[in-house]
Amino acid sequence: MNKKDQADKLRGEQYIGNSRKIMIYLVLSGGGILMMMPFLWMILGAFKPLREVMVFPPTFWPQEPTLANFQKVFAMIPFARYYLNTAFVTIIPTIITVITAAMAGFGFAKYKFKGAKVLFWLILATMMVPYPVTIVPLYVMAHQVGLVNTYTGLIVVGLSSAFGIFLMRQFILSLPDSLLDAARIDGCTEFRIFFSLILPLTKPALATLTLFTFTSHWNSYIWPLMIINSDHLRTLSIAIPLFNGQYEQYPNLVYAASLMSLLPILLLFIFTQRFFVEGITVSGLKE
Amino acid sequence: MWGNKFNKWQRILAPYIFVAPGFIFYMMVTFIPAIVGIWLSFNQWSIISPEAEFVGLQNYISMLQDERFWSSVYNTAVYALGLIPGIVIFSLITALLLNTKIKKIVFFRALFYLPVITPIAVASVIWTWIYHPRIGIMNWLIGLFGWTRVNWLANPDTVIPALVLMGIWLSIGSRMIIYLAALQGIPRSYYEAAQIDGAGKWQTFWYLTLPLLKPTTLFIMITTTIGAFRVFAQVNIMTQGGPVDKSLVLVYYIFQRAFADLRMGYSAAMSVFLFIITVIITLINWKLLGRNISYE
C-alpha cells in the first residue's frame, strides 16, 4: 500500500475491505429504515382498510390493499379546495421571491452605492430576530389593515427572503465584472444586463432558490394558522391536523390525506435533491 | 444628449431599483413588526379594544412573576438539552459513514434528508399516530424489547422525550450535510502527516478529525439551541402544551397569551425575552467561532 492510500484510509475515504463495507451498509440501512419508518407507516397505512390499521401488533404490508381511503377523503372534506389554496399561496410568493431576491442579490453584489452597507447590515441584523417576535405584531398589523382571513394576507408575508438575497448575492459575486463592462460598452442598460445577462447565468442558483422557497411556502404552518379562520381559505398544513382531530377514529383516512399533501414535495425532492444539498452547503443551514 | 443623461441616471438609480423590492418586502415583515412588537410590550391591548394603553414595564414585571412563564422557559431548555447531544451524535455518525467511498451515497443522503423537507404539520400528525397508546408503532417497537406500553404524549414523564426524539428525526438530515461538507473540507495533507507519524485509525479520529470538526459542532449546537427555542408546531398539534403543562414551551405560551387570552402586550414582552436569549446565544456563537480553526 502506498502513502496516498494510507492517508486515504485514515481519512475514511479508502476503498475499504468487503467486510467493513458490508458493516457500513448495514448500519446505514438500519438508520435509513428508522428514518423512513414514519413515512412507510403513513404510506402503507393509507392503503389499509380501517380494521387493519386498528390491529395491534400492526401489519407491515397491507393485507387487503384499497384505494377507498383516498376517495373518502375527497368526499369528507373539500380536499381539492385545500390543495388549490396551497398551490396558489405557494406559487405566487415563490415567483415573486425569486425575482426580488435575484434583483436585490445583483444590486448588492455588483454595485457600490450610498447606503449599501447599511441596508445589507439591516438585513443581516433582522435575520437574527426570531419569528415569534415578529409574527404577533405582524398579525396585529394585518388585522389593522383588514388582511386577516384573505389570500392577500397569506401571500403578502412571503414576497422576499433574506436567505434568497444572500444566496443570489454570493452566486453573482463570482461572476466577473468584465462581463458587465463589456455589455455596458455595447450600450446595454443596467436592466438589460440584469435580464439578458445575469438571469441566464444564475440558473443553478435560481433553481436552488425556487426549490427552497417552494418547499418552505408549501410547508408553511404558523402564519396560515393565525391568519386564516374560514374553511374555504385553509391550506393543507392547517387542514390535515384539523382533519386528524375530527376523524380521530379513522387513522387510515388521515394517512391517505397526509400522503396526498406530501406528494408534490416528495416528487420534487426525489428529482431535485442535489439542488437541495447544494443550497444547504452554500447557505450553511436551512432553519 | 438626452441619451447620455438617461444613461447616467439609469446607472445611478439602477442599484436602488434592484434592491428596493426585496429590501422593502423583507423589512415590512421583519424589521417593522419587530419595532411594533417592542412598542406593544410596553402596552396593554386586547386587539379588539380600540386603543392600546401604555403601562410601562408592567408586562415585564408580570412576566417575571408568572410561574407558567418560567416553567415554559424551563421546558424549552430541557427540550433543547435533549436535542443537542442527540442531533450532534447521530448527524456526526451518519456523516462519517457517508464520508467513506461507498456507492449509493446520494440515495442514503436523501433518506436521511427527507424529514427536513416534510411539512411540519404532516410530520406532527404522523408522529401523533406513532405515539398512539393502543396502535402506535413506538409501543410495538419497545414491545420487542419486552417493555410495557406507554402513553407517550399523555404521560408527563415521556412527553418531552417523545418530542425530542421527533426533533432529532427532523434535523439529522440538515446537520449531517453540514458535517459532511466540513469533513470533505479537511485537507488530505493532514491525514498524510498523521500517517507518517504512525497514527492509527482511532487516534486519527480522536486527535485530528474531531478537533478539526469543533467549529462545526459548535455551530450545530448553537443553531440547534436557537431552533429549539422556536419549537411550536409539534406542540400545538400533538400535545397543546399538556399534560399538566409539561410540554408548555415558550413560543406556545407566547401564542396562547396572544390569541387565546388576547393579551398582545404581555405576549410581546415574552417575545422580546426570546429575542434577548437569541441575541445572547448568537453573541456566544460569534465569540467562540471567532477563534475558528483555519486549515491554511
Side-chain angles (χ1 to χ4, degrees), chain B residues 213-253:
Chain B
L213 287 178
K214 214 170 111 187
T216 314
T217 306
L218 212 60
F219 176 76
I220 288 173
M221 286 169 72
I222 281 159
T223 49
T224 301
T225 313
I226 292 176
F229 268 88
R230 296 177 189 187
V231 66
F232 168 73
Q234 299 94 301
V235 172
N236 190 45
I237 293 169
M238 297 166 72
T239 70
Q240 284 89 44
V244 289
D245 276 358
K246 272 290 176 199
S247 66
L248 182 80
V249 289
L250 185 53
V251 176
Y252 186 79
Y253 192 45

Side-chain angles (χ1 to χ4, degrees), chain A residues 3-4 6-16 20-21 24-25 27-29 31-32 34-39 41-42 53-58 100 103-104 106-108 111 113-114 119 122-123 126-141 143-144 156-157 159-160 162 165 184 189-191 194 212 215 219 221-222 225-226 237 240-241 244 248 251 254-255 258 261-262 265-266 269 273-274 276-277 280-281 284-287, chain B residues 6 10-11 14-19 21-23 25-34 36-37 40 45 47 94 97-103 106 108-122 125-130 134-137 139-141 149 169 172 174-175 177-178 181 183-184 186-188 191-192 194-196 199-201 204 219 223 227 230-233 236-237 251 254-255 258-259 264 267 271 274-275 278-279 282 286:
Chain A
K3 250 190 195 167
K4 207 177 140 263
Q6 284 270 341
D8 272 355
K9 185 174 178 185
L10 292 179
R11 200 177 189 221
E13 282 188 356
Q14 75 286 20
Y15 293 94
I16 34 192
R20 255 251 163 67
K21 212 185 238 174
I24 290 175
Y25 275 125
V27 176
L28 276 178
S29 305
L34 281 178
M35 294 297 283
M36 288 306 289
M37 206 145 78
F39 295 107
W41 170 260
M42 167 194 70
V53 285
M54 293 310 254
V55 297
F56 191 90
T100 58
M103 283 170 63
F106 176 54
F108 282 121
Y111 293 94
F113 58 97
K114 247 193 193 144
L119 298 188
L122 257 176
I123 295 179
T126 311
M127 270 179 92
M128 265 172 46
V129 181
Y131 75 84
V133 177
T134 56
I135 212 160
V136 173
L138 201 58
Y139 176 84
V140 170
M141 287 158 70
H143 180 86
Q144 295 307 90
V156 82
V157 299
L159 303 181
S160 175
I165 295 174
R184 284 189 188 116
T189 63
E190 304 302 313
F191 303 95
F194 175 71
F212 269 90
T215 316
N219 296 352
Y221 175 70
I222 294 172
L225 177 73
M226 285 183 172
S237 278
I240 298 282
N244 185 40
E248 239 175 319
V254 173
Y255 299 149
S258 300
S261 73
L262 186 64
I265 294 289
L266 215 56
F269 177 66
Q273 62 126 335
R274 271 162 208 275
F276 275 95
V277 172
I280 287 208
T281 320
L285 184 67
K286 188 208 155 211
E287 271 308 321
Chain B
F6 169 77
Q10 64 99 6
R11 254 183 221 188
Y16 295 100
I17 294 168
F18 283 131
V19 165
F23 181 80
F25 287 144
Y26 186 65
M27 288 298 142
M28 200 174 72
V29 296
T30 52
F31 188 72
I32 295 168
V36 173
L40 260 180
W45 192 35
I47 207 167
T94 315
L97 289 174
L98 287 178
N99 196 36
T100 48
K101 273 198 179 144
I102 59 162
K103 284 173 196 162
V106 174
F108 281 113
R109 200 175 55 185
L111 280 192
F112 283 86
Y113 191 69
L114 203 53
V116 180
I117 53 132
T118 305
I120 187 68
V122 171
V125 166
I126 300 172
W127 277 82
T128 308
W129 287 100
I130 287 177
R134 201 178 72 72
I135 60 164
I137 203 168
N139 276 340
W140 171 77
L141 251 181
R149 286 182 187 185
W169 175 81
I172 287 180
S174 59
R175 269 57 170 194
I177 305 259
I178 297 167
L183 280 170
Q184 282 162 359
I186 301 177
R188 178 184 299 271
Y191 290 95
E192 282 166 7
Q195 186 259 318
I196 289 166
K201 210 173 159 71
T204 315
F219 176 76
T223 49
R230 296 177 189 187
V231 66
F232 168 73
N236 190 45
I237 293 169
V251 176
I254 290 175
F255 287 157
F259 297 106
M264 295 297 165
S267 149
S271 303
L274 174 66
F275 180 46
T278 311
V279 170
T282 311
W286 283 353

Side-chain angles (χ1 to χ4, degrees), chain A residues 141-236:
Chain A
M141 287 158 70
H143 180 86
Q144 295 307 90
V145 293
L147 288 181
V148 169
N149 213 21
T150 62
Y151 281 117
T152 317
L154 274 173
I155 288 172
V156 82
V157 299
L159 303 181
S160 175
S161 122
F163 162 77
I165 295 174
F166 278 112
L167 185 82
M168 295 312 295
R169 175 179 172 269
Q170 288 310 105
F171 197 88
I172 295 169
L173 271 176
S174 66
L175 303 174
D177 285 341
S178 54
L179 219 61
L180 278 73
D181 290 333
R184 284 189 188 116
I185 290 165
D186 286 347
C188 281
T189 63
E190 304 302 313
F191 303 95
R192 261 296 294 283
I193 291 177
F194 175 71
F195 285 105
S196 2
L197 192 69
I198 298 292
L199 279 189
L201 284 173
T202 50
K203 267 182 198 155
L206 290 173
T208 304
L209 179 57
T210 308
L211 287 172
F212 269 90
T213 316
F214 184 91
T215 316
S216 77
H217 284 302
W218 186 275
N219 296 352
S220 168
Y221 175 70
I222 294 172
W223 184 246
L225 177 73
M226 285 183 172
I227 203 160
I228 293 307
N229 43 47
S230 304
D231 186 51
H232 70 279
L233 290 176
R234 276 187 190 132
T235 59
L236 288 168

Side-chain angles (χ1 to χ4, degrees), chain A residues 133 137, chain B residues 32-42 60 264-265 268-269 271-272:
Chain A
V133 177
Chain B
I32 295 168
I35 300 297
V36 173
I38 292 169
W39 171 80
L40 260 180
S41 73
F42 297 109
Y60 289 94
M264 295 297 165
S271 303
V272 172

Side-chain angles (χ1 to χ4, degrees), chain B residues 23-77:
Chain B
F23 181 80
I24 292 169
F25 287 144
Y26 186 65
M27 288 298 142
M28 200 174 72
V29 296
T30 52
F31 188 72
I32 295 168
I35 300 297
V36 173
I38 292 169
W39 171 80
L40 260 180
S41 73
F42 297 109
N43 287 270
Q44 200 166 51
W45 192 35
S46 71
I47 207 167
I48 34 178
S49 61
E51 254 168 56
E53 179 198 346
F54 183 80
V55 293
L57 287 171
Q58 190 50 51
N59 287 323
Y60 289 94
I61 294 165
S62 346
M63 177 182 92
L64 296 175
Q65 290 167 344
D66 181 357
E67 272 175 35
R68 286 189 84 202
F69 164 73
W70 286 113
S71 79
S72 78
V73 173
Y74 174 79
N75 292 338
T76 314

Side-chain angles (χ1 to χ4, degrees), chain A residues 41-99:
Chain A
W41 170 260
M42 167 194 70
I43 294 169
L44 296 172
F47 295 96
K48 291 175 187 172
L50 182 62
R51 65 174 174 284
E52 195 182 334
V53 285
M54 293 310 254
V55 297
F56 191 90
T59 57
F60 179 72
W61 202 254
Q63 305 296 308
E64 305 159 51
T66 168
L67 290 172
N69 297 335
F70 298 96
Q71 288 171 334
K72 275 188 202 149
V73 170
F74 279 96
M76 287 164 110
I77 49 171
F79 198 76
R81 173 92 204 196
Y82 301 148
Y83 229 103
L84 288 175
N85 283 344
T86 314
F88 181 64
V89 302
T90 298
I91 291 169
I92 304 279
T94 302
I95 293 171
I96 297 177
T97 299
V98 170
I99 295 170

